[in-house]
Amino acid sequence: HLRRVALRVAAGGILLVAARFWSAVRPNARDILLFLATGFLNITGAYGFLFWGMQFVGSGLSAVIDLSLIPVLLLALGILFGEDAWSARKIAGIALGVAGLLVIFAPRLGGDAPTGETLGIAAIVASTLVYCLGSVLSRPLLRLHPVLLVSGVEMLFGGLGLCVLSLLVEDWPAGL
């Protein structure tokens, strides 16, 4: 995993260099803290939980969980953080989406599911939650800064966080 993470860090650096040439806007201290938080949430947290959870859950089920939750969580968190306006129709949509997910996944979360799979599903849900939170928190940055800068900083900071996480939790061959 560390090789893939290092590529993400390099890509973030390349995007930052490109953003420097196309933008005169410079982030302030508050924006930098928000960049750190969103990079950690969108990259370190989301992929950390996802990679761990997929040890116990197949890629098909992981995709269904992730792609089913994204619209529900983006809307719910957007309303919660004032980035989306709520309406009865949107709240009904969130409720319907959650009800549908419960119908689909309730049998899997019953007493028959292996503990590893249940924990894997919980990690994938956590991955989707932190990704959606980071996405909603990124919206003010995207209104102020070019997308290359936002993507580059988040990828760089989040990738560095994944490198540290990888060094701390992965098993390393003897002699390294």
Side-chain angles (χ1 to χ4, degrees), residues 7-54:
L7 287 173
R8 186 172 299 278
V9 172
I14 291 167
L15 287 174
L16 285 177
V17 170
R20 174 70 178 104
F21 287 108
W22 283 303
S23 174
V25 179
R26 299 290 172 254
N28 58 33
R30 181 186 169 280
D31 290 349
I32 291 171
L33 289 175
L34 198 50
F35 277 128
L36 283 168
T38 57
F40 179 77
L41 290 167
N42 284 342
I43 307 295
T44 309
Y47 287 107
F49 280 122
L50 182 65
F51 293 158
W52 187 85
M54 286 187 67

XYZ file of all heavy atoms in Angstrom, residues 7-54:
371
model
N 2.659 7.543 -4.372
C 2.223 8.125 -5.647
C 1.192 9.219 -5.427
O 1.190 10.241 -6.111
C 1.666 7.041 -6.573
C 2.695 6.100 -7.186
C 1.994 4.973 -7.939
C 3.639 6.852 -8.105
N 0.307 9.030 -4.455
C -0.695 10.050 -4.138
C -0.013 11.320 -3.622
O -0.396 12.434 -3.978
C -1.677 9.516 -3.098
C -2.819 10.451 -2.818
C -3.866 9.800 -1.935
N -4.470 8.634 -2.520
C -5.471 8.652 -3.396
N -5.963 9.794 -3.791
N -5.973 7.540 -3.875
N 0.999 11.162 -2.791
C 1.738 12.315 -2.276
C 2.436 13.046 -3.435
O 2.375 14.272 -3.534
C 2.763 11.885 -1.203
C 3.667 13.038 -0.812
C 2.039 11.338 0.026
N 3.053 12.292 -4.327
C 3.718 12.897 -5.485
C 2.705 13.621 -6.370
O 2.964 14.745 -6.840
C 4.455 11.828 -6.286
N 1.550 13.014 -6.585
C 0.505 13.654 -7.401
C 0.045 14.950 -6.749
O -0.187 15.957 -7.433
C -0.669 12.707 -7.606
N -0.086 14.947 -5.431
C -0.460 16.168 -4.719
C 0.560 17.265 -4.923
O 0.212 18.431 -5.151
N 1.842 16.914 -4.869
C 2.897 17.895 -5.119
C 2.842 18.457 -6.527
O 2.999 19.667 -6.741
N 2.592 17.596 -7.499
C 2.496 18.042 -8.900
C 1.315 18.999 -9.071
O 1.433 20.040 -9.726
C 2.381 16.825 -9.847
C 3.704 16.064 -9.861
C 1.984 17.269 -11.255
C 3.617 14.689 -10.512
N 0.167 18.662 -8.471
C -0.998 19.546 -8.552
C -0.719 20.899 -7.901
O -1.158 21.943 -8.399
C -2.220 18.894 -7.913
C -2.870 17.763 -8.694
C -3.981 17.124 -7.878
C -3.414 18.264 -10.015
N 0.024 20.898 -6.795
C 0.353 22.164 -6.138
C 1.244 23.039 -7.010
O 1.062 24.254 -7.087
C 1.039 21.907 -4.790
C 0.129 21.453 -3.681
C 0.917 21.166 -2.417
C -0.937 22.495 -3.402
N 2.198 22.423 -7.674
C 3.059 23.181 -8.587
C 2.225 23.767 -9.728
O 2.356 24.947 -10.069
C 4.205 22.286 -9.128
C 4.956 22.982 -10.257
C 5.158 21.915 -7.999
N 1.337 22.969 -10.284
C 0.471 23.458 -11.360
C -0.428 24.586 -10.862
O -0.602 25.603 -11.547
C -0.373 22.318 -11.925
N -0.982 24.446 -9.680
C -1.868 25.473 -9.125
C -1.114 26.778 -8.898
O -1.652 27.862 -9.086
C -2.478 24.983 -7.819
N 0.142 26.674 -8.544
C 0.962 27.870 -8.297
C 1.085 28.709 -9.567
O 1.077 29.935 -9.523
C 2.341 27.444 -7.790
C 3.337 28.554 -7.634
C 2.934 29.452 -6.459
N 3.914 30.483 -6.286
C 3.743 31.747 -6.660
N 2.630 32.127 -7.220
N 4.685 32.641 -6.445
N 1.170 28.062 -10.699
C 1.315 28.786 -11.961
C 0.010 29.398 -12.446
O 0.018 30.357 -13.198
C 1.889 27.864 -13.043
C 3.336 27.564 -12.845
C 3.734 26.301 -12.435
C 4.302 28.551 -13.036
C 5.075 26.025 -12.238
C 5.642 28.277 -12.838
C 6.037 27.013 -12.436
N -1.138 28.826 -12.043
C -2.426 29.291 -12.557
C -3.217 30.143 -11.581
O -4.320 30.560 -11.889
C -3.283 28.106 -12.997
C -2.853 27.560 -14.317
C -2.771 28.244 -15.496
C -2.438 26.243 -14.606
N -2.321 27.428 -16.494
C -2.109 26.171 -15.973
C -2.303 25.087 -13.837
C -1.665 25.019 -16.590
C -1.857 23.938 -14.454
C -1.549 23.915 -15.812
N -2.703 30.376 -10.396
C -3.487 31.116 -9.413
C -2.612 32.053 -8.600
O -1.515 31.690 -8.186
C -4.184 30.132 -8.472
O -4.824 30.831 -7.440
N -3.140 33.237 -8.381
C -2.447 34.200 -7.533
C -3.031 34.198 -6.120
O -2.502 34.842 -5.229
C -2.564 35.597 -8.139
N -4.131 33.470 -5.905
C -4.778 33.421 -4.601
C -3.949 32.567 -3.655
O -3.533 31.462 -4.001
C -6.209 32.838 -4.719
C -6.877 32.759 -3.368
C -7.033 33.653 -5.696
N -3.697 33.097 -2.458
C -2.926 32.362 -1.458
C -3.819 32.067 -0.252
O -4.530 32.946 0.224
C -1.723 33.186 -0.989
C -0.755 33.523 -2.098
C -0.025 32.251 -2.550
N 0.761 32.527 -3.728
C 0.453 32.140 -4.953
N -0.628 31.442 -5.169
N 1.215 32.414 -5.970
N -3.777 30.840 0.239
C -4.611 30.500 1.400
C -4.121 31.206 2.666
O -2.915 31.409 2.848
C -4.461 28.989 1.530
C -3.370 28.579 0.622
C -3.038 29.719 -0.279
N -5.072 31.562 3.539
C -4.710 32.141 4.832
C -4.587 31.005 5.862
O -4.772 29.835 5.536
C -5.743 33.189 5.263
C -7.145 32.628 5.365
O -7.343 31.460 5.714
N -8.140 33.445 5.045
N -4.296 31.370 7.119
C -4.066 30.352 8.161
C -5.313 29.487 8.393
O -5.202 28.277 8.564
C -3.640 31.026 9.456
N -6.507 30.100 8.377
C -7.739 29.336 8.578
C -7.936 28.330 7.447
O -8.302 27.181 7.676
C -8.937 30.284 8.649
C -10.248 29.567 8.877
C -11.430 30.546 8.783
N -12.694 29.855 8.750
C -13.231 29.281 7.657
N -12.607 29.322 6.511
N -14.389 28.660 7.718
N -7.673 28.780 6.216
C -7.812 27.879 5.073
C -6.832 26.714 5.169
O -7.171 25.577 4.845
C -7.578 28.631 3.762
C -8.689 29.613 3.423
O -9.744 29.578 4.083
O -8.485 30.423 2.504
N -5.620 26.999 5.613
C -4.619 25.931 5.730
C -5.072 24.873 6.737
O -4.934 23.679 6.495
C -3.235 26.514 6.074
C -2.709 27.294 4.867
C -2.256 25.414 6.483
C -1.463 28.092 5.110
N -5.645 25.314 7.861
C -6.174 24.346 8.841
C -7.316 23.538 8.240
O -7.415 22.329 8.473
C -6.642 25.069 10.105
C -5.537 25.637 10.985
C -6.137 26.433 12.142
C -4.640 24.531 11.515
N -8.152 24.185 7.458
C -9.251 23.472 6.802
C -8.710 22.506 5.743
O -9.223 21.395 5.592
C -10.234 24.469 6.191
C -11.625 23.962 5.854
C -12.283 23.206 7.004
C -12.510 25.113 5.406
N -7.652 22.919 5.036
C -7.000 22.011 4.085
C -6.481 20.768 4.809
O -6.641 19.646 4.329
C -5.810 22.685 3.394
C -6.155 23.550 2.224
C -5.689 24.847 2.151
C -6.905 23.063 1.169
C -5.977 25.646 1.058
C -7.202 23.850 0.071
C -6.732 25.156 0.014
N -5.833 20.967 5.950
C -5.321 19.837 6.732
C -6.457 18.906 7.144
O -6.356 17.686 6.999
C -4.592 20.336 7.983
C -3.200 20.888 7.783
C -2.723 21.597 9.050
C -2.233 19.781 7.418
N -7.538 19.494 7.667
C -8.669 18.682 8.130
C -9.306 17.916 6.973
O -9.562 16.710 7.082
C -9.711 19.574 8.813
N -9.546 18.600 5.851
C -10.209 17.923 4.735
C -9.292 16.895 4.088
O -9.759 15.841 3.657
C -10.728 18.926 3.696
O -9.657 19.735 3.215
C -11.815 19.808 4.287
N -8.004 17.176 4.024
C -7.063 16.185 3.496
C -7.023 14.948 4.370
O -7.019 13.812 3.880
N -7.018 15.171 5.682
C -7.014 14.039 6.600
C -8.307 13.237 6.473
O -8.283 12.011 6.417
C -6.819 14.523 8.043
C -6.819 13.404 9.036
C -5.710 12.593 9.186
C -7.934 13.134 9.806
C -5.714 11.531 10.078
C -7.957 12.084 10.707
C -6.840 11.284 10.841
N -9.445 13.928 6.408
C -10.727 13.220 6.302
C -10.865 12.519 4.954
O -11.186 11.327 4.903
C -11.888 14.201 6.496
C -12.064 14.750 7.906
C -13.030 15.937 7.899
C -12.549 13.677 8.855
N -10.657 13.255 3.837
C -10.909 12.719 2.495
C -9.915 11.644 2.073
O -10.275 10.755 1.302
C -10.889 13.836 1.454
C -12.138 14.671 1.472
O -13.154 14.262 1.998
N -12.063 15.839 0.891
N -8.698 11.734 2.521
C -7.680 10.778 2.068
C -7.295 9.824 3.195
O -7.525 8.618 3.104
C -6.435 11.508 1.520
C -6.796 12.533 0.435
C -5.401 10.494 1.025
C -7.382 11.969 -0.829
N -6.724 10.340 4.271
C -6.228 9.471 5.343
C -7.357 8.673 5.983
O -7.288 7.448 6.065
C -5.501 10.300 6.419
O -4.528 11.136 5.801
C -4.827 9.400 7.431
N -8.393 9.368 6.437
C -9.486 8.684 7.114
C -10.281 7.783 6.187
O -10.517 6.616 6.487
N -10.687 8.329 5.036
C -11.525 7.556 4.121
C -10.803 6.309 3.622
O -11.347 5.206 3.681
C -11.977 8.420 2.949
N -9.581 6.464 3.130
C -8.873 5.296 2.597
C -8.346 4.384 3.696
O -8.277 3.171 3.515
C -7.746 5.727 1.654
C -8.276 6.237 0.352
C -8.252 7.593 0.045
C -8.850 5.372 -0.579
C -8.767 8.066 -1.146
C -9.365 5.839 -1.771
C -9.317 7.183 -2.045
O -9.830 7.647 -3.228
N -7.981 4.943 4.832
C -7.542 4.104 5.949
C -8.642 3.145 6.381
O -8.430 1.931 6.505
N -9.844 3.682 6.608
C -10.981 2.827 6.976
C -11.333 1.860 5.847
O -11.609 0.689 6.082
C -12.214 3.664 7.322
C -12.208 4.253 8.698
C -12.315 5.627 8.878
C -12.121 3.446 9.820
C -12.325 6.184 10.148
C -12.136 3.990 11.095
C -12.231 5.365 11.263
N -11.341 2.366 4.613
C -11.726 1.527 3.473
C -10.763 0.357 3.292
O -11.185 -0.795 3.154
C -11.786 2.359 2.194
C -12.218 1.616 0.930
C -13.656 1.149 1.042
C -12.030 2.509 -0.292
N -9.454 0.631 3.295
C -8.465 -0.430 3.105
C -8.576 -1.469 4.216
O -8.475 -2.666 3.978
C -7.044 0.129 3.062
C -6.742 0.990 1.860
C -5.709 1.911 1.908
C -7.468 0.895 0.685
C -5.405 2.703 0.814
C -7.176 1.679 -0.415
C -6.147 2.591 -0.350
N -8.769 -1.007 5.457
C -8.887 -1.955 6.555
C -10.162 -2.788 6.412
O -10.139 -4.002 6.563
C -8.864 -1.228 7.904
C -8.823 -2.190 9.040
C -7.717 -2.774 9.573
C -9.946 -2.719 9.744
N -8.082 -3.635 10.584
C -9.447 -3.619 10.701
C -11.324 -2.526 9.661
C -10.277 -4.312 11.577
C -12.150 -3.227 10.527
C -11.621 -4.107 11.476
N -11.287 -2.131 6.132
C -12.566 -2.841 6.030
C -12.599 -3.854 4.911
O -13.240 -4.907 5.030
N -11.897 -3.554 3.818
C -11.932 -4.469 2.671
C -11.130 -5.745 2.902
O -11.179 -6.654 2.083
C -11.476 -3.742 1.410
C -12.557 -2.782 0.915
S -12.198 -2.036 -0.661
C -12.284 -3.466 -1.744
